[in-house]
Amino acid sequence: MKPALLCSAANSLWHLAMQPACRRLRLAWRDPRRFGEKYLLKLLEQNRHTLYGRRHRFERLDTLASFRDRVPLTVWADYEPYIERIAAGQQQVLTREPVLLFEPTSGSSAARKLVPYTASLRAEFMAGIGPWISSLFQHYPQIKGGRAYWQVSPPTSAQVACHGSVPVGFDHDSSYLGFAGRKLFSKVAVGLPELEPGMAVERYQRA
């Protein structure tokens, strides 16, 4: 199959796969406050037996107002002790789900921070980029026939392998997309196989 046809087919399948996320977003637009509160209460219920949930009595929070009144505003330093517990191997600290890895922030406004990444968070990531990419395909259908370069992870030249017992960073940016998404992405991504991890960003910055 010709490269342009292969890209068009892969991008079309990807576009189709993102439609459920687009429909959920359109439903949320109808009443964003109600959607946001419903989602918040779902998270509180799911994580009420975690260390953080027990300390803040998540089981007693059943409205947005009760959450605002009883859970204090926090900064990153408030979460560092929990991150260290997760790194030491403790389960159900901030999330009921197992932590798959830590994803580092770029550190643009402060020191680099490690964000616990779960399977649900990866699904949320896809739910966010789905409508965005779908909109691009809809308004600029000609881009379906071409390849794309993505840089999602923070640009670091020295990737840390682990923090405690937890891996740091995905092995490849396409890992954000899950198994099926990664397979489709491999058909349309601009690859740089000759570069070591971290060198791609430096090469593009110098270009």
Side-chain angles (χ1 to χ4, degrees), residues 23-156:
R23 287 193 291 271
R24 287 193 295 270
L25 180 60
R26 286 193 291 268
L27 288 173
W29 279 343
R30 296 178 181 177
D31 191 347
R33 179 183 176 87
R34 180 176 178 274
F35 178 87
E37 183 166 3
K38 182 178 179 181
Y39 184 68
L40 170 65
L41 296 179
K42 174 185 173 183
L43 291 178
L44 294 175
E45 171 63 25
Q46 289 177 341
N47 296 291
R48 63 193 180 102
H49 295 302
T50 63
L51 176 61
Y52 193 81
R54 293 195 303 272
R55 286 185 174 176
H56 293 288
R57 309 300 297 270
F58 279 5
E59 77 279 1
R60 296 188 177 185
L61 307 182
D62 55 4
T63 64
L64 177 60
S66 63
F67 176 80
R68 284 198 303 249
D69 292 341
R70 300 178 190 177
V71 179
L73 293 174
T74 55
V75 296
W76 170 250
D78 298 314
Y79 294 97
E80 285 187 287
Y82 297 101
I83 296 298
E84 294 307 314
R85 285 175 176 266
I86 296 170
Q90 186 172 338
Q91 300 295 316
Q92 298 198 16
V93 178
L94 291 171
T95 62
R96 181 186 66 181
E97 287 183 275
V99 172
L100 304 176
L101 51 85
F102 290 130
E103 182 66 356
T105 63
S106 61
S108 56
S109 60
R112 188 189 69 162
K113 306 171 185 66
L114 296 176
V115 178
Y117 223 88
T118 64
S120 289
L121 182 54
R122 178 158 56 189
E124 291 293 333
F125 182 86
M126 282 303 300
I129 69 169
W132 166 43
I133 299 300
S134 179
S135 178
L136 283 177
F137 286 156
Q138 181 178 347
H139 289 90
Y140 304 97
Q142 66 272 22
I143 67 176
K144 286 186 178 182
R147 294 181 177 272
Y149 172 74
W150 285 63
Q151 178 65 50
V152 181
S153 299
T156 58

